Amino acid sequence: MFVRIVKLSFHEENIPAFLENFELMKDKIRNAPGNRFLELYQDKDNKNIFFTYSYWETEADLENYRNSELFNTVWTFTKQLFNAKPEAWSVDKLVSLQ
């Protein structure tokens, strides 16, 4: 399993549209095959910046999602709202304390 972190930056006036769409799509994204966890964060200082944080079973699961109609629908809508190029990282969790 690995973690996918995606940084998204929006024009301020587009934030409500993004949040509304995320609310509609979050369960579908979370239930994509291989997705085990999904969270959305908003930067405390720059409210235009958001991060998605998700756990994926395998890289193939993430790629299958990225090639799915669901991703195409979500991304086609979301990319129109950006004010900067999104950034993404796939990382392995080394330590987790609770």
Side-chain angles (χ1 to χ4, degrees):
M1 188 174 330
F2 69 98
V3 179
R4 180 73 168 182
I5 303 166
V6 180
K7 179 183 177 185
L8 310 166
S9 185
F10 299 99
H11 293 284
E12 187 173 345
E13 64 273 14
N14 293 337
I15 292 171
F18 166 70
L19 292 173
E20 181 179 319
N21 192 60
F22 188 85
E23 185 65 28
L24 292 172
M25 305 305 278
K26 67 183 180 183
D27 290 326
K28 293 176 184 174
I29 297 167
R30 169 54 187 87
N31 290 313
N35 186 301
R36 298 293 172 247
F37 183 83
L38 175 64
E39 289 185 325
L40 176 67
Y41 302 105
Q42 185 176 27
D43 188 274
K44 288 186 105 22
D45 297 321
N46 184 342
K47 299 298 183 182
N48 295 353
I49 297 176
F50 291 79
F51 297 87
T52 59
Y53 183 86
S54 56
Y55 292 178
W56 293 88
E57 285 292 327
T58 67
E59 290 183 37
D61 290 326
L62 175 60
E63 282 307 307
N64 288 337
Y65 167 68
R66 293 183 70 219
N67 291 314
S68 71
E69 185 59 36
L70 172 60
F71 179 82
N72 186 53
T73 300
V74 170
W75 200 246
T76 298
F77 177 83
T78 305
K79 70 182 179 182
Q80 301 173 65
L81 310 175
F82 292 143
N83 69 2
K85 184 178 178 186
E87 298 177 61
W89 301 267
S90 292
V91 299
D92 292 319
K93 185 188 303 189
L94 298 181
V95 177
S96 180
L97 303 175
Q98 301 211 10

